[in-house]
Amino acid sequence: MNEFIETARALELSTGKIDVEVSFDEFNLDVDVRYDGEPMEFPIERPTDADLLGDERAVAKLAGFLIRKYVDGIKSDRINGRCRVQLHLEH
């Protein structure tokens, strides 16, 4: 969550408040994040060093790549005009 929120704020992907809903049971932690702004990418492959130097969105892609590595499942879409990211972690 920290990586996502810091990236969304620092790179101005979100334009307002970020809403987070968390549910937990003895086996799963699920996080539902909703915000107005630009969707964050969660690439499977790490951006190259050349990408990081030449692509202004590469830092956001790197953060998305790291987040993907932290979680067991991730889904990103838009609901009613707001970006939504769903993170799933198995306990």
Side-chain angles (χ1 to χ4, degrees):
M1 286 310 308
N2 188 55
E3 184 75 33
F4 178 83
I5 291 173
E6 283 184 10
T7 299
R9 291 290 187 214
L11 299 177
E12 299 178 348
L13 298 176
S14 65
T15 58
K17 74 178 187 171
I18 298 174
D19 297 316
V20 178
E21 184 176 310
V22 178
S23 64
F24 176 75
D25 63 28
E26 58 271 11
F27 302 110
N28 301 290
L29 173 65
D30 291 299
V31 180
D32 188 79
V33 180
R34 295 172 192 239
Y35 64 95
D36 294 318
E38 296 296 316
M40 187 169 185
E41 296 178 53
F42 300 95
I44 295 170
E45 294 185 12
R46 180 191 180 279
T48 66
D49 292 342
D51 290 337
L52 291 169
L53 292 173
D55 180 358
E56 63 187 40
R57 295 208 30 102
V59 173
K61 290 177 185 176
L62 179 59
F65 169 77
L66 292 173
I67 292 168
R68 179 179 283 281
K69 292 294 182 185
Y70 295 150
V71 300
D72 296 303
I74 192 164
K75 182 180 174 188
S76 179
D77 58 11
R78 279 192 184 269
I79 299 291
N80 298 324
R82 296 189 86 201
C83 296
R84 178 177 71 169
V85 177
Q86 295 175 301
L87 308 169
H88 174 78
L89 296 97
E90 295 175 8
H91 185 351

